[in-house]
Amino acid sequence: MSLLPSSRSANLRWFYSRTRRDGACLIWTGPTSGQGKYPAFYPRGASRGGMVYGHRWIYEQKRGPIPRGMVVMHRCDRPRCVSLRHLRLGTHSDNH
């Protein structure tokens, strides 16, 4: 898994350099979680260590914190899509 650079603008450039357009979706082409399903990487300088999921990371960078008990869902049902237009908050129940 890749490490994210340390500054916010460098982080965003790094993030978007690992995407490609596929219709209305913005598909993550970088590292993925163990199952290979979701975008995943280790941010450098993060206050909480460990792996982060790309769709959650970009949501928080652009829209703010994810409230406790909420998940970031894909309107397009494509787990590797990181387009903000396709990401929304919901509950685990909403996501099934």
Side-chain angles (χ1 to χ4, degrees):
M1 289 232 183
S2 297
L3 288 176
L4 201 59
S6 53
S7 77
R8 185 170 192 274
S9 61
N11 287 346
L12 290 170
R13 281 192 306 274
W14 179 91
F15 184 87
Y16 285 119
S17 75
R18 283 151 179 82
T19 62
R20 67 173 169 75
R21 277 270 163 223
D22 185 6
C25 291
L26 186 60
I27 302 298
W28 176 256
T29 61
T32 59
S33 62
Q35 306 101 349
K37 186 174 181 179
Y38 291 101
F41 50 88
Y42 291 93
R44 197 175 280 178
S47 58
R48 295 173 288 172
M51 182 188 72
V52 296
Y53 288 111
H55 60 294
R56 292 179 59 86
W57 184 85
I58 196 62
Y59 188 95
E60 288 183 317
Q61 295 300 305
K62 296 292 193 169
R63 297 204 175 134
I66 300 166
R68 186 178 194 97
M70 300 298 276
V71 297
V72 178
M73 303 185 309
H74 297 84
R75 294 173 199 251
C76 58
D77 287 327
R78 295 179 77 183
R80 295 184 88 172
C81 180
V82 293
S83 171
L84 285 172
R85 292 181 181 166
H86 294 184
L87 302 178
R88 67 182 179 93
L89 291 178
T91 65
H92 282 285
S93 296
D94 297 333
N95 204 25
H96 294 290

